[in-house]
Amino acid sequence: MRTLWLWSFVFLLCPRADERMSMAQEANYDEAKIPPYELPDLLLTTGGEQVTTAEQWLKVRRPELLRLFEEQMFGRAPSRPVDLHWQITDEDQAALAGRAIRKQVTIYFSKDRSGPRMDLLLWLPKSVSGPVPVFLGLNFVGNHGTHPDPAIRLTESWMRDDDKAGVVNNLATEQSRGRDQSSWPVAEILARGYGLGTIYYGDIDPDFDDQFQNGVHQLYHGSGRGGPTPEQWGSIATWAWGLSRALDYLQTEAAVDAKRVAVVGHSRLGKTAMWAGAIDERFALVISNNSGCGGAALSRRRIGETVQRINTVFPHWFCDNFTQYNGREDELPFDQHGLVALVAPRPILITSAEEDRWADPRGEFLSAFHASPVYELLGQPGIAGPDMPPMHQLSGGRIGYFIRAGEHAMTKMDWEAYLEFADRNLVRSTQ
Ligand code: GTR
């Protein structure tokens, strides 16, 4: 089912029929056909120096690796705009039959309120007093698509047409309210004492290749100013930038413990959550769900989606420099275990789905395993061995791993793992 969906999507986006066919034939799912590869040593600097202390990792190797990921893969994003500001447009102290506080906050990226902006939907538990830890994640469907509550504003941003789901002329309609509520079990999250913040990713940057003219890119490119240079932000870095701007707001929200914000995402937004957590150390915990190629999966395994395939079908996701590695994974100065390691010593949870072979569950697990030496250097337990754990069992230490049966999706069962991992790792600070 997912494969069918995926290929119809590819066929729509990909320009030439012969190219499409060759990519379909290219995808490998056979472990025996993985070419031999060697992962770059995380504890070796580009200058050939061995990293043996936590200080060396934090002061030398981490900044170097972060810069490589930035310049060669995701692209550099601007800093916080000076005129960033927000307005609370809705606050209900007795939402969900009195169990929740619901807030809606419009975050403006410039002074001009008719310019680019994003809407944050924030749920806080009523049962807990004092600042609460919060999960923060982008959604695919508009905030109104994450929950049936009629008070949630319908997004006005561009959306991919989908008649059945109630998206017509690239705009959401009432019919799309709550259409993806299974990905966002709000009641369970609140009952466990956590808040949840979510934003439609298309508010920040609509997900199609428009040469960086729309969304927040309007403020930086276009109108004769030229698109991003080869090492400047692609869409994933842009969405991650939006998550940081949401955190800027959350830091001012008294009901939120901004030192305990977990950034979470599924699929392309799982890649985004990882990059957001790597680049912005204010995120206390990172959760990557089915993030696959460009997320948790090791690129050198070339199982399912490859670097060439992702850069061809989604040319706007990464910075232009990343196309140099199409079909040349061995020349990458890093692999995705490095992205996991950039989160260290903060906790990170990688979750996979058994049937999601396109995202290479084993490659996602191996990234977590191969990032472990960095965690251990920093005095934190990683993943103990190279064998995948049994299904439905949260394993690991400060790097967690969880695999469930089923397809590519973010489900209630995944959320149970997130909540358990957060309970173990997102401990209230003593100050
Ligand atoms: C697929 C893409 C994956 C993944 C997925 C998603 O088409 O190949 O990398 O990100 O989309 O975001 O649903």
Side-chain angles (χ1 to χ4, degrees), residues 315-360:
H316 56 298
W317 281 5
F318 300 94
C319 72
D320 279 355
N321 274 342
F322 195 47
T323 58
Q324 296 170 66
Y325 304 101
N326 287 351
R328 299 161 73 165
E329 285 84 350
D330 291 318
E331 289 172 30
L332 276 163
F334 45 71
D335 210 311
Q336 298 308 102
H337 62 321
L339 187 57
V340 177
L342 286 173
V343 177
R346 292 165 294 150
I348 180 165
L349 174 62
I350 312 284
T351 54
S352 306
E354 193 192 19
E355 290 169 34
D356 187 18
R357 292 164 64 219
W358 183 243
D360 187 15

Side-chain angles (χ1 to χ4, degrees), residues 38 81 112 128 141 144 147 164 210 229-230 292 305 313 338 371-372 379 386 411:
E38 202 180 319
D112 174 10
V128 184
V141 289
H144 69 279
H147 195 281
K164 280 202 201 106
D210 73 316
T229 52
E305 191 168 27
V313 181
S372 298
T411 68

